[in-house]
Amino acid sequence: MAITSVVMTSVWQIPQATASSLEEIKASREISAPIDQVWNVVSDVDNETKYWPTFKTIKNINMTANTTEREVTLVAGPSGETITHQFVTVNPEQFVVETNITEGPVTGTRILTLSPSSSNTNATRIDVLWNVDMSGIPIFGRGFAKDGIMRTTEEALSNIATEIEVK
């Protein structure tokens, strides 16, 4: 007599990153203001809730030199709120803010870089590059997550531009 058993595993229960879970997302914007003025806003990482629409709260855990360890509550995902653990490094010499997301459904980096505009001497270009692992999100939700990150980034850049260009 043979006994057969069937084990069912949902796709999202398999905890490994695959090439299909890794995503690169890019967004850019030119702001009509000098680089120092834009830097004053984007390097003030404690005020990101003002510009990034999904950031609900920021709780700093540890600060050393140019790096801040923090816990960020996001208004995102099916449950409405998601907590992430991040390390944010501010590099004023290169006009770069690098955020390493180490815990949460999405992990990876967000690198925000400022550079002088090539077409306007009194303007600054902001480039945002995300390299994220979405293996913590069910496969069917990854497209929504990627679109959400892109929309949020574009809205943040718009909010930053509005803040600076109005002054």
Side-chain angles (χ1 to χ4, degrees):
M1 169 159 57
I3 299 176
T4 306
S5 68
V6 176
V7 176
M8 294 181 62
T9 303
S10 298
V11 174
W12 58 85
Q13 291 173 315
I14 302 170
Q16 59 190 20
T18 62
S20 64
S21 67
L22 300 174
E23 294 288 345
E24 183 178 271
I25 303 163
K26 296 178 181 181
S28 295
R29 171 130 188 182
E30 194 165 287
I31 295 179
S32 298
I35 197 166
D36 289 336
Q37 190 176 356
V38 179
W39 179 250
N40 288 337
V41 171
V42 300
S43 65
D44 184 6
V45 295
D46 287 341
N47 277 320
E48 285 187 320
T49 56
K50 186 173 180 180
Y51 307 106
W52 292 84
T54 57
F55 281 38
K56 183 177 179 185
T57 62
I58 296 172
K59 177 185 169 191
N60 290 335
I61 298 169
N62 190 22
M63 298 171 75
T64 56
N66 291 346
T67 301
T68 302
E69 178 183 3
R70 67 189 191 178
E71 184 178 274
V72 177
T73 302
L74 304 173
V75 181
S79 63
E81 283 189 5
T82 299
I83 295 176
T84 66
H85 191 250
Q86 304 177 353
F87 290 88
V88 181
T89 303
V90 177
N91 184 334
E93 293 82 27
Q94 296 181 339
F95 295 107
V96 173
V97 177
E98 182 173 344
T99 303
N100 289 302
I101 306 159
T102 59
E103 293 175 26
V106 173
T107 57
T109 59
R110 178 190 76 193
I111 301 172
L112 188 146
T113 306
L114 302 184
S115 57
S117 170
S118 58
S119 61
N120 181 345
T121 57
N122 196 35
T124 302
R125 178 181 168 97
I126 302 179
D127 293 302
V128 181
L129 172 64
W130 293 86
N131 282 302
V132 291
D133 176 2
M134 294 192 176
S135 60
I137 297 174
I139 288 174
F140 62 84
R142 291 180 190 164
F144 295 111
K146 183 177 179 179
D147 291 346
I149 291 170
M150 185 60 153
R151 275 192 315 277
T152 296
T153 302
E154 288 171 345
E155 189 173 338
L157 294 177
S158 178
N159 292 340
I160 291 166
T162 300
E163 170 79 12
I164 294 168
E165 293 173 346
V166 168
K167 291 182 177 180

